[in-house]
Amino acid sequence: MKRERLVRMAFAALIGLIMAAVIAWMTIRHDQRQAAGVATNVAPASIGGPFTLTTHDGRVVADTDFQGKYRLVFFGYTFCPDICPTELQTIAQAMDLMGEGGADVQPLFITIDPARDTAPVLAEYVALFHPKVIGLTGTAEQIAAVAKEYRVYYARSQGEPDPTQYLMDHSTFSYLMAPDGSFVTVFARGTTPEQMVEAIATHRSRGR
Ligand SMILES: [Cu+2]
């Protein structure tokens, strides 16, 4: 009887130890991942860069045409069923919150689906969100180049043979670039308009 109880207690202790070890391991892994996330934010200088693209109203523009303006940059595509509309809505709300104070903030929507997102298609789409949003498209090569600069991943989703109906897989970060074109910060999906406004205000208060 006594021995049985001892065995049970030892067993319970062992389970406890294993659980503690698992929790410790999970915590360490979580911290490592966070550290990795921080590390990618520590090397921001290499995010962004020069580009030549076509606006939704057919003008050829370069990154330098937005010199002197904050840029809220989002990569997506007009056929996107959920994420892109949500993120563009967030950017539009941030613009509304800033009002006149956002006169020097330029939202840019860069398509990662240039095959379907021609300038007229983009024009119709961006108008749904905010009059200040500029849609940008280009050749497959131009889009690949700018996506690479911003570390944006995108790929046509497999399994949809219809060339008008396919979906795109793509990363869903929004980028805040400073008036000199340098990288300020990246917003993960789910960032609120208030947080975007705050990030711009914080950068302003530090002086350019
Ligand atoms: Cu999308």
Side-chain angles (χ1 to χ4, degrees):
M1 235 8 193
K2 234 182 179 178
R3 202 175 154 230
E4 207 174 284
R5 217 181 136 201
L6 260 176
V7 168
R8 238 187 286 153
M9 275 172 66
F11 188 69
L14 185 66
I15 295 287
L17 263 176
I18 289 169
M19 279 175 67
V22 167
I23 289 166
W25 178 75
M26 279 166 63
T27 307
I28 289 164
R29 272 193 52 147
H30 181 248
D31 288 350
Q32 281 173 344
R33 279 200 202 144
Q34 283 202 330
V38 168
T40 55
N41 283 346
V42 169
S46 50
I47 291 181
F51 60 75
T52 303
L53 295 166
T54 303
T55 65
H56 65 255
D57 48 7
R59 291 174 296 126
V60 174
V61 291
D63 55 296
T64 47
D65 290 316
F66 304 105
Q67 205 67 19
K69 287 187 171 179
Y70 281 98
R71 295 148 233 186
L72 276 171
V73 187
F74 182 72
F75 290 79
Y77 69 116
T78 65
F79 197 76
C80 184
D82 44 24
I83 295 162
C84 293
T86 309
E87 291 308 302
L88 276 174
Q89 191 66 46
T90 301
I91 288 172
Q93 284 169 358
M95 295 308 295
D96 284 341
L97 279 174
M98 286 183 286
E100 281 301 304
D104 65 342
V105 181
Q106 179 58 62
L108 298 175
F109 176 66
I110 304 179
T111 182
I112 43 84
D113 184 20
R116 284 183 298 184
D117 287 344
T118 58
V121 170
L122 277 178
E124 215 171 291
Y125 188 73
V126 295
L128 298 173
F129 296 94
H130 197 280
K132 278 196 78 173
V133 178
I134 295 180
L136 295 171
T137 186
T139 64
E141 292 75 22
Q142 286 172 328
I143 295 298
V146 68
K148 194 176 172 198
E149 285 175 346
Y150 281 80
R151 319 280 174 80
V152 168
Y153 161 81
Y154 66 100
R156 183 172 159 171
S157 200
Q158 297 300 306
E160 175 51 69
D162 186 333
T164 66
Q165 296 297 313
Y166 61 86
L167 297 178
M168 300 289 293
D169 297 323
H170 66 95
S171 44
T172 55
F173 296 105
S174 301
Y175 302 85
L176 175 61
M177 310 301 284
D180 66 358
S182 65
F183 172 84
V184 177
T185 193
V186 59
F187 303 113
R189 200 175 141 200
T191 299
T192 65
E194 289 80 7
Q195 287 169 323
M196 287 187 180
V197 172
E198 177 73 32
I200 294 170
T202 301
H203 190 268
R204 278 189 207 283
S205 70
R206 284 193 200 131
R208 288 169 193 176

